[in-house]
Amino acid sequence: ADGTPVPCGVTVRSRWGHRPESSVRWLGVDFQPEAAGAWWPDRREVKYYLEFGPEVAPAAAPRPKAVETPDGIEVDAGALRFLVRRQGFNLLDNVHLNGAPVLTSTPRHGLYLVDHEGATYRAANDRAVALCIEEQTDLRVVLRAEGWYVKDGSAGETLSHSLPTDKLCKFVTRIEAHAGKPWVRVLTTWILTYDSFTVRLRDVGFSLPAPGVSRAAFGVEGAPPIVQPVGPDGLYLIQHLHNAFAVEN
């Protein structure tokens, strides 16, 4: 609010016409604001303004890098560096924090689901995941992955709305990395492809390895984080209801 420029990245979402020079209808703006209150009355103060025009000079920003490789896409956001695999998509792999390795996934990690018969289907089993750089600005890069949950030990070829089937449900996952930040944002859409009268699910979730981790913290909006020690068998965050969850060993 004091007129000091802050780094930002902009993306034209829509225009009023079909030409590149048509007026902007929707503009996406990425910037890294100060922490805001969890409850809306605490966010009434206006701290930022959007200024535009030919004489506006945006502040310099450390642009995150995303590079296509034979294994997938490597992202370097400064503090955080990681690989997203195309073959064996397991969310994050070869993760480095401030230059030090902190996480290496296996094909047993990432997105999974379990049907009512106890069979497990994993995104990492899909051999034809569509992976791309969906969006990149001066402050953020977004990767998009789309594919199937494929049954463990199957060829991944049979598709049926009832059991048995090699493929059960689709996923669309977006992984956002922000310049200079030691974390990512993961958004996953789970797409139902079966007959819900004949097939039921025991579990839908994702897993990440945590070697050497002694405790984990789960953020809660408007409340202190839940901190829990991590045992040898790991830790589970289980969502029983849309507005309630439990943390269990």
Side-chain angles (χ1 to χ4, degrees), residues 153-183:
S154 72
E157 298 175 354
T158 303
L159 175 60
S160 173
H161 67 277
S162 60
L163 302 184
T165 180
D166 291 353
K167 301 178 179 180
L168 189 67
C169 300
K170 296 193 71 175
F171 66 88
V172 177
T173 300
R174 289 175 171 86
I175 300 174
E176 300 181 4
H178 298 257
K181 298 301 181 182
W183 43 263

Side-chain angles (χ1 to χ4, degrees), residues 9-22:
V10 296
T11 304
V12 176
R13 305 290 187 193
S14 176
R15 295 182 181 273
W16 285 105
H18 300 289
R19 299 178 180 273
E21 63 272 15
S22 298

